[in-house]
Amino acid sequence: MGGLFERFHAFDNLMLAARRAQRGKRYRPDVLRFNRRLEDHLHGLSRDLASGSWSPSPHRHFLIHDPKTRWISAAPYPDRVVHHAICNVIEPEIDRRLIFDCWANRKGKGSHRAVLRYQRFAAGSRYALKVDIRKYFPAIDHEILKMSFRRIFKDRPLLALLERIVDHGESPQPFRCYFPGDDLFTPWERRQGLPIGNLTSQIWANLYLNGFDHWVKEHLGARGYLRFVDDFILLHDQKRVLRQWMERIGHELAKLRLVAHPSKSVIRRTSEGVPFLGYVVWPHRVRVRGETVRRYRRRLRKRRREGEPAEALERSLVAWRGHVELAGDWRRLRGWKT
């Protein structure tokens, strides 16, 4: 694809990006400062992007523990506008190359539809192989990701900008691992990691495993397969076939310098229920996982103790209601008040 760079740095695209970047954050101080001279800032961004002089600013990194410890990286607001402007242009070109059963961060997709899709597969299969990739975002290899860009886009200024953002967003704690052909220093010489929290990282996480998705469908011949970011499930009537697939999957992931999590990659009967995206899913019913409920209760109590406004807590409960609604598990909401 060519001719995208001019569309990317056009003023109209940057204005659309600014509107999308401020959703839910309109009254934050950094957003208010940017909006005070919105057109001047956008014209300045457009000039810097067109000339190639724009460069990303440092991220703010912080740890969260919900439920596992992860590094979150927050880009400054002007950088987030640029991220949205990029995704406005390149996301449709990436999206049309993805398989149908890639369900994260795509229009018309999402976790609820992924669960319903899994149920449809599970109703006709006896076994499910669920695989979780170990430290997916910190393990993404920059050079492999850049090669994926070069297969799709040919605008040199656009490629240079994408690669600059990738190199700038190196994970604060990359996942080091040895693979066939590595020498002693290879894991430290290769740049790794995408910042969790950037819109671009969500789109690129889908792209990074796109070749693997096509391999599963076209070479393994897996009819029942779906992926949500780094969680994916393959279904078959024979456990023996899934074991063989698991071995081949390990070799294929190694080509992307990724490793399947040994304790979270399991084969289970679909009739016993499979944990997936915060639910336990059977072919004909869904339940919210107990740990998911307990974690949300702890988070809600903490927010109340910290004095968060009741309106914000109400919005959070509406979102939680949408989560449990798929399972029809209304008893989980009894006594939940802000």
Side-chain angles (χ1 to χ4, degrees):
M1 290 297 300
L4 298 179
F5 187 68
E6 289 72 20
R7 287 169 49 192
F8 155 64
H9 66 73
F11 180 83
D12 289 347
N13 184 49
L14 290 172
M15 179 63 79
L16 176 62
R19 289 171 181 164
R20 290 178 172 176
Q22 66 182 259
R23 286 176 181 169
K25 308 177 182 71
R26 186 176 178 183
Y27 298 106
R28 292 186 179 181
D30 54 345
V31 180
L32 290 172
R33 283 195 299 270
F34 191 89
N35 286 346
R36 192 174 297 126
R37 296 175 54 208
L38 178 61
E39 292 191 5
D40 291 341
H41 285 134
L42 294 182
H43 280 298
L45 273 179
S46 180
R47 287 192 300 271
D48 292 344
L49 292 166
S51 65
S53 62
W54 180 86
S55 60
S57 301
H59 287 80
R60 179 173 60 89
H61 303 290
F62 56 94
L63 280 170
I64 63 168
H65 309 275
D66 187 23
K68 56 187 178 182
T69 300
R70 291 185 299 173
W71 280 99
I72 302 296
S73 301
Y77 179 69
D79 285 23
R80 296 202 299 272
V81 173
V82 174
H83 296 167
H84 276 269
I86 290 173
C87 292
N88 289 346
V89 173
I90 72 170
E91 183 179 4
E93 303 303 329
I94 292 175
D95 188 81
R96 67 189 185 90
R97 289 166 169 80
L98 303 178
I99 66 169
F100 177 83
D101 283 306
C102 176
W103 289 91
N105 306 309
R106 299 176 68 191
K107 293 178 182 178
K109 303 288 184 177
S111 59
H112 287 187
R113 294 189 178 186
V115 169
L116 296 176
R117 179 70 165 173
Y118 166 76
Q119 282 191 299
R120 181 178 176 183
F121 286 141
S125 304
R126 295 177 60 194
Y127 295 98
L129 165 62
K130 183 177 182 295
V131 182
D132 178 89
I133 295 176
R134 192 174 181 187
K135 302 284 186 182
Y136 180 50
F137 281 89
I140 287 177
D141 186 89
H142 286 192
E143 187 54 38
I144 296 175
L145 179 60
K146 292 174 187 177
M147 288 173 60
S148 299
F149 295 152
R150 295 169 197 146
R151 293 189 187 104
I152 301 175
F153 308 112
K154 66 181 182 180
D155 288 346
R156 290 186 179 180
L158 178 62
L159 287 171
L161 178 68
L162 296 178
E163 293 178 3
R164 194 180 311 152
I165 293 174
V166 170
D167 288 336
H168 178 78
E170 190 170 11
S171 173
Q173 193 174 22
F175 176 64
R176 310 290 188 189
C177 188
Y178 287 97
F179 294 92
D182 287 358
D183 60 29
L184 181 63
F185 301 104
T186 299
W188 281 263
E189 292 172 345
R190 299 184 70 100
R191 304 192 69 172
Q192 293 175 282
L194 292 181
I196 300 175
N198 283 2
L199 177 64
T200 50
S201 298
Q202 299 172 18
I203 308 303
W204 297 342
N206 281 345
L207 175 64
Y208 194 79
L209 279 171
N210 184 48
F212 172 80
D213 292 339
H214 283 277
W215 176 83
V216 170
K217 299 292 290 183
E218 297 159 17
H219 291 273
L220 284 187
R223 295 184 178 180
Y225 169 76
L226 70 162
R227 176 170 68 89
F228 195 94
V229 191
D230 60 334
D231 289 339
F232 56 90
I233 297 182
L234 298 90
L235 297 101
H236 200 276
D237 280 334
Q238 297 183 38
K239 184 185 287 189
R240 171 182 56 83
V241 172
L242 291 178
R243 286 178 180 149
Q244 293 172 353
W245 284 356
M246 185 65 223
E247 184 176 354
R248 295 179 64 184
I249 284 169
H251 293 303
E252 196 66 20
L253 289 176
K255 297 177 183 178
L256 297 171
R257 303 188 67 82
L258 299 174
V259 178
H261 200 296
S263 63
K264 295 181 180 179
S265 301
V266 295
I267 298 174
R268 301 186 64 165
R269 286 182 176 271
T270 55
S271 59
E272 295 175 353
V274 173
F276 187 47
L277 303 179
Y279 302 97
V280 180
V281 190
W282 290 264
H284 303 292
R285 64 189 179 104
V286 182
R287 285 290 177 266
V288 180
R289 294 181 64 184
E291 177 55 32
T292 303
V293 176
R294 290 189 290 273
R295 187 166 65 247
Y296 186 81
R297 283 182 179 272
R298 288 195 297 268
R299 186 162 64 241
L300 190 65
R301 292 191 189 104
K302 180 181 178 181
R303 291 168 65 180
R304 290 181 62 184
R305 288 196 301 271
E306 293 174 349
E308 190 164 334
E311 295 81 4
L313 297 178
E314 287 287 353
R315 288 195 297 270
S316 179
L317 279 174
V318 168
W320 174 251
R321 175 175 177 149
H323 183 71
V324 302
E325 186 177 20
L326 180 66
D329 213 356
W330 300 111
R331 63 189 176 84
R332 302 289 198 183
L333 291 175
R334 292 176 184 170
W336 286 44
K337 298 179 180 179
T338 57

